[in-house]
Amino acid sequence: METALKNSDGASCIFCKIIKKEIPTEFILEEDDVLAFDDINPKAPVHILVIPKKHIESVSDLDSENAGVAERLILGAKKIAEGKKLSGYKLVFNVGQEGGQIISHIHLHLLGGWPSSPGKLEV
Ligand code: AMP
Ligand code: ZN
């Protein structure tokens, strides 16, 4: 698999292209600094990606200066989950190649909508 993790600059980043509307994508949530859209290859009945508009590669690039990004992603996901009346859901950050991260633009997976709880993805 071609590793998007090599694309460390925003110019070649697929999610930055979505932010710049170079790849037409329907936004589920758009705030000043956060966007959300359906995952193209859903792993759950509801599978949404919440991303910052600023290009930050990974959770491993967060520090005390920019960790607020993670907070805004989580609150964005929570708002979407409430809007969709999900009674329960999972929030997942894949971090680094070994953690399953393919796209090197930090993103929070919101997974839910299973017909019965708990969800299928036990951690
Ligand atoms: P990760 O493995 O955490 O990097 O997840 C990247 C996710 O991005 C995968 O679940 C992909 O299905 C999803 N994805 C890749 N390209 C697109 C796209 N153009 N629009 C929506 N989701 C995408
Ligand atoms: Zn990016």
Side-chain angles (χ1 to χ4, degrees):
M1 185 179 348
E2 184 64 29
T3 170
L5 284 170
K6 284 183 186 149
N7 299 332
S8 58
D9 60 317
S12 55
C13 168
I14 189 166
F15 286 177
C16 283
K17 288 184 176 156
I18 288 175
I19 293 161
K20 287 185 271 181
K21 299 191 164 69
E22 291 170 13
I23 299 175
T25 303
E26 192 177 332
F27 298 143
I28 292 165
L29 176 76
E30 177 158 22
E31 297 184 332
D32 286 350
D33 47 4
V34 168
L35 274 182
F37 47 88
D38 281 320
D39 194 293
I40 205 166
N41 181 22
K43 320 294 190 300
V46 174
H47 187 174
I48 292 166
L49 302 174
V50 190
I51 69 169
K53 289 183 177 174
K54 181 175 160 51
H55 181 88
I56 297 171
E57 281 192 39
S58 167
V59 167
S60 57
D61 294 305
L62 296 181
D63 55 29
S64 55
E65 296 292 310
N66 63 3
V69 166
E71 178 184 349
R72 289 192 287 283
L73 297 183
I74 292 167
L75 292 179
K78 176 177 171 251
K79 187 189 273 192
I80 295 165
E82 287 171 353
K84 290 187 172 291
K85 304 215 178 334
L86 299 181
S87 55
Y89 49 92
K90 294 182 188 294
L91 299 178
V92 177
F93 283 109
N94 292 324
V95 185
Q97 240 168 340
E98 289 181 12
Q101 184 177 6
I102 303 297
I103 308 282
S104 59
H105 182 125
I106 190 171
H107 50 281
L108 180 59
H109 294 259
L110 165 61
L111 299 143
W114 298 282
S116 60
S117 67
K120 302 272 190 272
L121 302 171
E122 299 301 332
V123 177

